[in-house]
Amino acid sequence: MSEAKIREKENQVFRVQGFSCAGCAKRFEQNVQQLDGVEEAKVNFGASKLTVVGHVDLQELEKAGSFEKLQIVPEKSKVDMRKKSLWEEHRTTIIAFLFLVAGYALQYTIGENHPVTVGAFIATILIGGFSLFRIGLKNLIHLQFDMKTLMTIAIIGAAIIGEWSEGAVVIILFAISEALEGYSMDKARKSISSLMDISPKTAIVRRNGMEETVSVDEIVLNDRMIVKPGQKIAMDGVIVKGHSSVNQAAITGESLPVEKKQDDEVFAGTLNGEGLLEVQVTKLVDDTTIAKMIHLVEEAQAEKAPSQAFVDVFAKYYTPAIILGAVLVALLPPLVAGASWSEWVYQGLAVLVVGCPCALVISTPVAIVTAIGNAAKQGVLIKGGIHLENAGKLKAIAFDKTGTLTKGIPAVTDYQPFVENQEAVFAKVTALENYSQHPLARAFIRKADEEGVDYRSFKIEDYSSIVGKGIQGRVDGEMYYIGNPALFIDKGLMDQDAALLGQIRQLQSQGKTAMLAGNSSAILALIAVADEVRPVSKRVIAKLKKLGIEKSIMLTGDSEAAANEIGKQVGVSEVAAGLLPEDKLEKMKQLRNQYDRVAMVGDGVNDAPALAAATTGIAMGGVGSDTALETADIALMGDDLEKLPYTISLSRKAMNIIKQNISFAIGIKVVALLLVVPGWLTLWIAIFADLGATLMVTLNALRLLRVKK
């Protein structure tokens, strides 16, 4: 059953602690699937979660995981799974290791064949390998050949031919290898588990005029939270009173706090600065932005990249091939060439050990979990291994213009007064615009507020809008007009002034909206408003070129002149202007045919067809946007375009590391297996090859934790 079908049905979700390897997770999944009342079970090894479709008892689940002594609790349980101490988790290995040390000490004092020496090695094998043999022998009976089956056969064989010391060493080194695998996955998981701990579990809520501290589970919609300076915000909501700076780094990866005032959104897990805030709750605890983000990241960790799918298929045929190869190595030389049975049975056992696929199995998931978790901490949500891999292979990126390469907010870019009292003119113009509902009017108000211009003291009378041309109104008893040149031609205030018309045309050629302001007797100022380019856009496009992106395309519905001017400012390699949504879709199809791997960067709401047609849909400003979180393959949680080069770079490094890991894991085994030809392969070399490969791929994958924006 697919992930989608599992989500459609009612299901139970549990958190699991104690997986030592990916194979153990798969075995647990199979055990749960066989339980009565279970329709389907899915283990997410990366997130250590189990999803069950149907009804199941917790005790039955614990029995299904008893082979690994797994700890299982419901996902929303208040019970925290206690972290085991080093002694609790590895005591049998530690005791077995002490017997191994004693065995080697006795070997050099009373001899290697002395019963006491052999007894020490046997104790090492039995104590250290008890859980291994319990699973390995069961697998052998059911003809299930995994790494524990291989190790069980190899150690029993070593004991039969009298290689007690080497069998004991193999047991200890295999335990170390499994511990390394568990450690590496735990380390990778911490990048997302740390996000789970950032939201407070309680909040101060004002009810019936009284303030009380309640659990976040008890908070309902429209409750009023009181957030004191220095406290974390417990729930998503809207500020109804107060003003403060809020550190949103946990969600967006932004290093600097963001100013928040009345009517602004705030998010659970973010840190309030110096002000006291009263926040009206808009989302329940399971629906907050951070909760959705964690859920989506955990789901993403279960989604396999194509490279991981290759490893799974390869491992399916690899293990039986190793067993067959080991049998042939053990039998053919003695039967065909009359070679020593003990020598070649030993070589066959060494083939089994070196063939253990620990390193290969962990090579991909540890890299994917690490990369996706690290990206989440940097404010980038990558919704699966396949999207991580696709982002690393992009050759072209298309950008929506408004709100992506530009700020998406009109701003006054040019103000040229034709009279001396220029501030007074701008104040009167803004006072008039303050009555307008047109989007461009906000540009005047923002500029006036930024520069401290007093426009609210003016009294406006006889205000009216002139459709398609502008607005008019009486300020301090005098009629003022603001609008396009056609308005002033109608009023008889503008003749064929070549210089003024030239200035207007020049501003329009730059993609700006040119307006005139005047009174009943003269034109007083020339003003231009435009959607400003983001300061980082040019830098981002340049970084993408350095990363090897062959083509950057800006898609917009704007006029060609305006689009070309913006394109020139940001440095994109192509501009496609005057496009309707269906035109953008067609353009994306053309780009895919030409470049194969193409991304579309937009706001996650508009241009949905183009985003869907892209190999990778990337949404800007995913924080607070359910649409962006649900529809995009990758969401840049903050409104920060500079996260795009980071995402491409991280994806490429992750794919390189996965390729290195797979190549190394297979290569080192091939080299070790070639030692069979001259008869040089030993159990020591075999286990060190496997342990060394596991250690190397683990450390290599954990390098992804160091990739920063």
Side-chain angles (χ1 to χ4, degrees):
M1 186 180 289
S2 69
E3 290 281 345
K5 286 184 178 176
I6 285 180
R7 286 195 293 269
E8 282 173 14
K9 296 196 172 190
E10 187 179 349
N11 54 57
Q12 296 172 269
V13 183
F14 302 88
R15 295 204 171 272
V16 185
Q17 184 174 296
F19 287 134
S20 62
C21 63
C24 305
K26 189 67 180 173
R27 179 184 172 88
F28 176 58
E29 180 180 278
Q30 291 169 347
N31 288 352
V32 174
Q33 285 174 344
Q34 293 169 6
L35 295 175
D36 290 338
V38 174
E39 294 180 46
E40 185 61 77
K42 187 77 177 174
V43 168
N44 180 339
F45 179 54
S48 284
K49 287 172 68 174
L50 165 70
T51 302
V52 177
V53 178
H55 298 284
V56 67
D57 185 77
L58 194 58
Q59 288 182 329
E60 290 178 320
L61 289 179
E62 287 173 346
K63 284 181 184 176
S66 61
F67 68 96
E68 276 277 279
K69 296 182 181 177
L70 299 177
Q71 289 180 274
I72 305 159
V73 298
E75 183 184 32
K76 296 179 183 177
S77 171
K78 300 286 184 186
V79 180
D80 287 328
M81 289 184 283
R82 185 175 64 86
K83 180 71 177 173
K84 292 180 181 177
S85 67
L86 180 68
W87 170 252
E88 286 177 310
E89 196 156 3
H90 302 293
R91 62 170 168 251
T92 54
T93 302
I94 294 169
I95 294 169
F97 177 74
L98 294 175
F99 273 106
L100 177 66
V101 172
Y104 273 101
L106 291 167
Q107 183 174 303
Y108 290 107
T109 53
I110 62 177
E112 69 175 302
N113 294 320
H114 193 284
V116 177
T117 305
V118 174
F121 289 132
I122 291 174
T124 301
I125 292 171
L126 292 177
I127 295 170
F130 178 74
S131 60
L132 167 68
F133 297 145
R134 191 158 51 91
I135 298 168
L137 289 171
K138 265 187 191 177
N139 290 350
L140 199 56
I141 292 168
H142 295 98
L143 299 179
Q144 295 175 342
F145 297 102
D146 62 8
M147 60 188 76
K148 293 193 175 180
T149 313
L150 298 185
M151 296 302 294
T152 300
I153 297 169
I155 293 163
I156 291 173
I160 290 171
I161 62 174
E163 295 289 344
W164 297 105
S165 61
E166 293 204 30
V169 170
V170 167
I171 279 288
I172 296 300
L173 292 180
F174 180 72
I176 293 171
S177 178
E178 281 210 314
L180 270 175
E181 189 175 337
Y183 168 79
S184 63
M185 288 305 296
D186 283 344
K187 183 83 174 171
R189 289 180 189 120
K190 278 181 183 175
S191 54
I192 186 60
S193 63
S194 62
L195 288 177
M196 298 179 189
D197 300 327
I198 66 171
S199 293
K201 301 295 183 282
T202 61
I204 301 172
V205 175
R206 181 178 292 143
R207 290 173 177 167
N208 302 319
M210 301 286 290
E211 292 182 9
E212 55 181 311
T213 301
V214 300
S215 165
V216 290
D217 295 314
E218 297 172 20
I219 294 176
V220 297
L221 296 179
N222 299 320
D223 263 344
R224 296 287 181 97
M225 287 191 306
I226 307 301
V227 187
K228 296 178 181 178
Q231 284 187 335
K232 283 187 176 178
I233 298 168
M235 306 285 283
D236 284 11
V238 174
I239 296 174
V240 292
K241 190 184 294 183
H243 178 277
S244 184
S245 60
V246 175
N247 187 330
Q248 301 186 144
I251 296 178
T252 66
E254 293 168 293
S255 56
L256 297 175
V258 179
E259 288 297 315
K260 298 283 185 177
K261 57 185 184 304
Q262 189 172 332
D263 296 329
D264 284 346
E265 276 188 294
V266 291
F267 307 100
T270 58
L271 181 64
N272 182 26
E274 71 288 343
L276 179 70
L277 297 177
E278 187 170 330
V279 178
Q280 184 170 320
V281 175
T282 56
K283 291 182 181 177
L284 298 177
V285 66
D286 291 333
D287 299 323
T288 62
T289 299
I290 190 71
K292 284 187 176 180
M293 186 175 167
I294 291 167
H295 175 69
L296 289 169
V297 170
E298 289 186 331
E299 279 193 340
Q301 290 174 337
E303 295 289 335
K304 293 180 180 178
S307 52
Q308 188 172 351
F310 159 76
V311 168
D312 291 344
V313 173
F314 183 85
K316 183 179 177 182
Y317 298 102
Y318 169 82
T319 305
I322 285 292
I323 293 174
L324 179 60
V327 171
L328 293 175
V329 167
L331 297 180
L332 285 182
L335 291 175
V336 175
S340 165
W341 278 98
S342 62
E343 180 185 341
W344 286 97
V345 166
Y346 178 87
Q347 290 284 302
L349 296 175
V351 168
L352 283 180
V353 173
V354 81
C356 186
C358 292
L360 182 63
V361 168
I362 201 174
S363 62
T364 305
V366 70
I368 288 175
V369 170
T370 303
I372 290 175
N374 184 27
K377 291 186 79 173
Q378 299 296 321
V380 179
L381 177 60
I382 302 174
K383 293 174 63 177
I386 188 168
H387 306 306
L388 177 72
E389 188 160 325
N390 282 339
K393 295 178 179 177
L394 291 173
K395 295 179 182 177
I397 301 180
F399 295 87
D400 180 33
K401 179 183 76 72
T402 306
T404 301
L405 293 175
T406 65
K407 293 179 180 178
I409 303 170
V412 175
T413 58
D414 300 82
Y415 175 58
Q416 183 180 344
F418 302 129
V419 290
E420 289 184 6
N421 56 339
Q422 51 182 293
E423 187 174 314
V425 170
F426 189 74
K428 291 177 181 179
V429 166
T430 305
L432 199 53
E433 289 284 4
N434 195 31
Y435 274 68
S436 172
Q437 297 301 311
H438 195 281
L440 295 183
R442 302 297 99 192
F444 287 85
I445 294 165
R446 271 189 294 273
K447 183 174 177 63
D449 288 339
E450 287 169 8
E451 297 184 359
V453 175
D454 179 19
Y455 60 90
R456 291 184 174 86
S457 60
F458 290 99
K459 186 178 180 182
I460 307 297
E461 297 175 318
D462 302 328
Y463 172 86
S464 64
S465 174
I466 306 164
V467 179
K469 293 180 181 178
I471 57 175
Q472 64 182 19
R474 200 174 297 280
V475 185
D476 282 351
E478 187 174 6
M479 186 63 75
Y480 278 78
Y481 307 96
I482 308 158
N484 58 30
L487 172 62
F488 287 83
I489 291 171
D490 288 351
K491 298 296 179 183
L493 295 171
M494 183 176 176
D495 55 18
Q496 295 302 312
D497 184 332
L500 181 56
L501 289 172
Q503 286 179 293
I504 291 170
R505 278 194 288 269
Q506 185 179 2
L507 291 170
Q508 289 173 337
S509 70
Q510 295 171 1
K512 299 173 180 178
T513 301
M515 293 180 284
L516 296 171
N519 55 24
S520 53
S521 58
I523 295 174
L524 303 176
L526 171 62
I527 306 164
V529 175
D531 181 6
E532 287 186 302
V533 171
R534 290 177 185 268
V536 302
S537 294
K538 186 174 183 178
R539 188 162 65 244
V540 167
I541 298 298
K543 284 182 180 178
L544 291 174
K545 285 180 181 176
K546 282 186 179 178
L547 285 170
I549 298 298
E550 297 174 20
K551 192 90 166 179
S552 53
I553 310 99
M554 186 178 79
L555 308 181
T556 178
D558 274 2
S559 67
E560 194 166 335
N564 285 334
E565 179 62 28
I566 298 291
K568 193 188 304 177
Q569 289 182 46
V570 300
V572 291
S573 48
E574 184 183 326
V575 172
L579 302 180
L580 297 172
E582 55 267 31
D583 299 324
K584 291 183 180 181
L585 174 60
E586 190 58 39
K587 183 66 178 176
M588 286 305 302
K589 289 178 180 177
Q590 291 172 15
L591 290 169
R592 284 200 66 170
N593 289 335
Q594 188 176 355
Y595 294 99
D596 185 36
R597 310 272 180 171
V598 183
M600 172 70 187
V601 186
D603 62 8
V605 180
N606 298 324
D607 305 319
L611 283 165
T615 312
T616 306
I618 302 174
M620 282 279 292
V623 61
S625 168
D626 291 342
T627 306
L629 290 177
E630 289 166 12
T631 61
D633 300 320
I634 296 174
L636 310 182
M637 299 302 290
D639 197 23
D640 182 1
L641 197 59
E642 286 196 289
K643 287 188 172 68
L644 185 56
Y646 157 79
T647 305
I648 305 296
S649 179
L650 175 70
S651 301
R652 290 185 176 176
K653 285 179 181 175
M655 290 307 105
N656 286 337
I657 281 174
I658 287 172
K659 288 173 186 174
Q660 291 165 9
N661 282 354
I662 293 172
S663 301
F664 183 77
I666 294 174
I668 198 170
K669 293 185 184 302
V670 170
V671 170
L673 290 171
L674 288 174
L675 296 177
V676 171
V677 179
W680 295 346
L681 185 62
T682 67
L683 286 175
W684 276 76
I685 293 174
I687 194 64
F688 269 118
D690 182 65
L691 178 62
T694 301
L695 181 60
M696 289 300 292
V697 301
T698 297
L699 294 176
N700 198 32
L702 293 179
R703 285 195 300 128
L704 289 166
L705 289 173
R706 302 206 317 259
V707 180
K708 305 295 180 189
K709 172 175 167 290

